[in-house]
Amino acid sequence: MRRPREREILLAHGSGGRAMHQLVEGLIVPQLDNPLLARLGDQAIFELGGARVAFTTDSYVVSPLFFPGGDIGALAVHGTINDLAMGGARPVALSLALILEEGFPMADLERVLASVRAAADVTGVHIVTGDTKVVGRHGADKLFINTSGVGLVADGAHIDERRVQPGDAILLSGTIGDHGMAIMSQREGFTFQAPIASDTASLWPLVEVMLAAAPGAVHAMRDPTRGGLATTLNEIAARAGLGMRLQERAVPVREAVRGACEILGIDPLYVANEGKLVAFVEAGAAQAVLAAVRGHPLGREAAIVGQAVEDPRHYVIAETDFGGTRIVDMLAGDPLPRIC
Amino acid sequence: MKYMDEFRDGRLARKLLREIAGLATGRVRIMEICGGHTHVIFKYGLDKVMPPAIELIHGPGCPVCVTPLERVDQAIELARLDNVMLATFADMIRVPGSRSSLQQEAARGADIRMVYSSLDALQLARAHPEREVVFFAIGFETTAPTNAMAVLLAQQQGLRNFSVFSNHVTVPPAVRAILDAPDVQLDAFIAPGHVSLVTGSDVYGFMAREYGKQVAVSGFEPLDILQSVAMILRQRRAGRAAVENQYTRAVSAAGNRKAQAVIERVMLPCDFRWRGLGIIPGSGLRLRPEFADFDAERRFALGEPPELADPKACECGQILRGAKSPWDCRVFGKGCTPENPIGSCMVSSEGACAAYYNYGRHQQRATS
């Protein structure tokens, strides 16, 4: 991919959409060139002392720090756990690095740390190392967090986007758009009759259930965070060298989220999630895996929303309720910065 | 979703489509004036389920798209001033000027804020009394009342650091310009919904009376648009031309008189140069002289901008008049994409090029 043509970093370069891809694939990866990085997975997977290890890192700059359904602490733990889980890896240990702005209330820090602890305990991982930095006022906005994590890839799991085959079912573990719209409505001061809460959650328990239901049948998994389901499907389509067919009707969206999206003119397909996964499952095993997912509290609203298909252009195409079709492209600009 | 799913019912749509197919005997070229309609047509793939005899031509009703380059440049000029905080809508931040964009200026240190409404900009002015807050206002009759109201509120509250850079335009003069253009052949119009909420449906009367065109004021749900097409075809079958209101749940014949009065009180019609359509007499809205303190053009002595030509390869002008389709543009989808737009029609989701690119490029026909 070509180097970005802009001379300065724009907000769009962090959106999770096409501009960010250009930055990562056109500037960052070529400089640091190595085969593990070039895979561009949510995590790197490699052999270490005879074990298959997954390793990942992620930074959190969400604003506001506290929002319905969670806070930056829970997000920082869940996000990194999920990046490991999407490689079929059981999370083992995390690091936690804090960048604090001068003047940040101590009580807020305590609240965030309690939330970090609670989120880690649920999945049974420990925060085993960390770092603390303080910068002057306006040197950072309140609190930024970085977490890294290591995990052990489960036996029999072989999750790789290049394994996706035409005919694979696209399984979505639940409703989309909850996290992004929770942040947006908090930030813009919208109040709805039914408040929208972030879906931030650790996905490892769900992944464990899926892998147990049909080992080997789960070809690829991703958590559709920034850029939403639309962007994630486009990324997988490009890397798998396939197209996707999406049945728009089948994609579950909560009523309040749909309402908020309508008001703001945003398509829920592009809104971030922090506790959902999309999996590509061998057609023959799709119903069994779906049943297993629905049996778990995190996956009750799971659905098969489409299929991978042959398409040399790697398009993601939605079938509308009207018998028409449209392209579902990657996110181009970003109206919603700092959502995670 | 209540009150929304009813307007997206696939079964009802198929019924309407059967009726449309029965009524569509000869070729009919219908312009949907409003970019919001263009967006819905593509989002739901309505262009592909309509009988081939019905040709939907996309009109100039995208405020981002019709704002000429020099006006974007002037906004950039304002944003570069040391003490200015420029507030505007998200799409205007991405739209390219002749050499830069507000997005790039923000990265270089200009203070540019994205807002959802001029009232948010007013809030910024109150919160930052040491800054000159300029609201870069665009839009049709839909957004003009709120922006005029912001000026009235600023006056009432004695705010001395708030001004509006008005780029408002109005629909009827633009439609007349299109109808008078020799190279655009249109049979009927789907008239805008939100604009008509303010203006009322009566403002389109001249299109039926003077030009003999069928007009249906339409809502923004897919069924609204299909019903409007059916209404137009029924008129044609009966051999008449009138303005009919499909969007009765929102639009009245006379419109919102309070909103009209606010515009009238604060703004005056003026000549405005539209991207693609050129200067249209009386098609713009500027602040009345008594509100000069709140008029960014006067406050910062902007002066009449030099007319700038669009980039050579860009066909936005022709596309905005319905004379060409995005497929006819050589840079469409190649040099010009939503992330690196050359023309304004690619920036706003209401722009015809963005709608074609985002939703329809899998069906691109060969360019002629």
Side-chain angles (χ1 to χ4, degrees), chain B residues 34 49 70 148 164 242 266 316:
Chain B
C34 172
V49 291
E70 62 267 20
V164 171
V266 177
C316 275

Side-chain angles (χ1 to χ4, degrees), chain A residues 22-155:
Chain A
Q22 250 172 18
L23 179 70
V24 171
E25 293 168 45
L27 186 70
I28 299 176
V29 174
Q31 294 264 358
L32 309 175
D33 187 33
N34 71 69
L36 277 176
L37 182 66
R39 254 191 69 230
L40 288 172
D42 281 349
Q43 69 302 112
I45 293 177
F46 48 89
E47 298 266 336
L48 197 65
R52 279 167 72 217
V53 171
F55 179 46
T56 190
T57 189
D58 213 330
S59 298
Y60 299 85
V61 297
V62 66
S63 171
L65 297 175
F66 302 95
F67 45 83
D71 58 39
I72 190 170
L75 205 61
V77 172
H78 292 149
T80 292
I81 285 177
N82 292 348
D83 282 348
L84 295 171
M86 294 306 103
R90 172 190 298 280
V92 176
L94 301 188
S95 72
L96 176 80
L98 305 169
I99 298 172
L100 293 150
E101 185 191 8
E102 177 187 20
F104 184 64
M106 201 62 82
D108 283 356
L109 180 59
E110 273 187 275
R111 204 174 143 195
V112 169
L113 289 172
S115 168
V116 164
R117 175 67 193 258
D121 284 353
V122 168
T123 317
V125 291
H126 293 291
I127 314 289
V128 295
T129 183
D131 179 53
T132 309
K133 296 280 189 311
V134 179
V135 296
R137 209 174 276 272
H138 305 307
D141 187 11
K142 298 182 192 78
L143 168 66
F144 295 158
I145 297 183
N146 171 276
T147 54
S148 296
V150 287
L152 283 172
V153 178
D155 285 340

Side-chain angles (χ1 to χ4, degrees), chain A residues 5-10 18 184 188 255 258-259 262 313 315 317 320-322 325-327 329, chain B residues 1 4-5 8 13-14 43-44 48-49 103 107-108 116 222 339 357-359 361-363:
Chain A
R5 57 173 103 161
E6 295 82 9
R7 283 190 296 158
E8 297 90 2
I9 292 293
L10 307 179
R18 211 177 278 280
M184 273 304 282
E188 302 300 333
E255 283 294 285
R258 279 180 67 193
E262 274 302 325
R313 301 165 304 179
Y315 281 158
I317 291 176
T320 73
D321 214 11
F322 285 61
T325 57
R326 66 180 164 100
I327 286 204
D329 203 359
Chain B
M1 206 176 340
M4 206 150 304
D5 292 339
R8 296 174 187 176
R14 284 184 284 279
K43 181 164 181 196
Y44 290 90
K48 282 152 230 155
V49 291
Q103 175 175 245
R108 287 170 196 157
Y116 286 102
E339 56 273 15
Y357 186 88
N358 288 332
Y359 296 140
R361 72 184 186 282
H362 60 306
Q363 324 233 348

Side-chain angles (χ1 to χ4, degrees), chain A residues 109-272:
Chain A
L109 180 59
E110 273 187 275
R111 204 174 143 195
V112 169
L113 289 172
S115 168
V116 164
R117 175 67 193 258
D121 284 353
V122 168
T123 317
V125 291
H126 293 291
I127 314 289
V128 295
T129 183
D131 179 53
T132 309
K133 296 280 189 311
V134 179
V135 296
R137 209 174 276 272
H138 305 307
D141 187 11
K142 298 182 192 78
L143 168 66
F144 295 158
I145 297 183
N146 171 276
T147 54
S148 296
V150 287
L152 283 172
V153 178
D155 285 340
H158 184 42
I159 314 284
D160 187 333
E161 282 157 9
R162 288 164 299 189
R163 283 188 68 211
V164 176
Q165 300 298 317
D168 276 6
I170 306 176
L171 186 155
L172 180 65
S173 70
T175 56
I176 58 166
D178 300 72
H179 176 74
M181 289 331 284
I183 300 285
M184 273 304 282
S185 24
Q186 170 92 347
R187 206 189 285 168
E188 302 300 333
F190 295 127
T191 44
F192 298 99
Q193 271 181 336
I196 302 170
S198 166
D199 58 350
T200 180
S202 159
L203 289 167
W204 170 248
L206 195 60
V207 171
E208 205 170 18
V209 164
M210 290 169 71
L211 294 178
V218 179
H219 293 157
M221 268 190 299
R222 283 284 299 279
D223 54 337
T225 54
R226 270 179 306 175
L229 182 64
T231 302
T232 298
L233 290 178
N234 273 285
E235 287 168 356
I236 299 175
R239 286 179 205 154
L242 295 169
M244 312 266 170
R245 265 327 243 212
L246 196 63
Q247 283 85 47
E248 205 167 27
R249 271 197 96 141
V251 177
V253 186
R254 225 174 281 289
E255 283 294 285
V257 171
R258 279 180 67 193
C261 284
E262 274 302 325
I263 291 169
L264 294 171
I266 296 169
D267 188 336
L269 286 173
Y270 294 90
V271 181

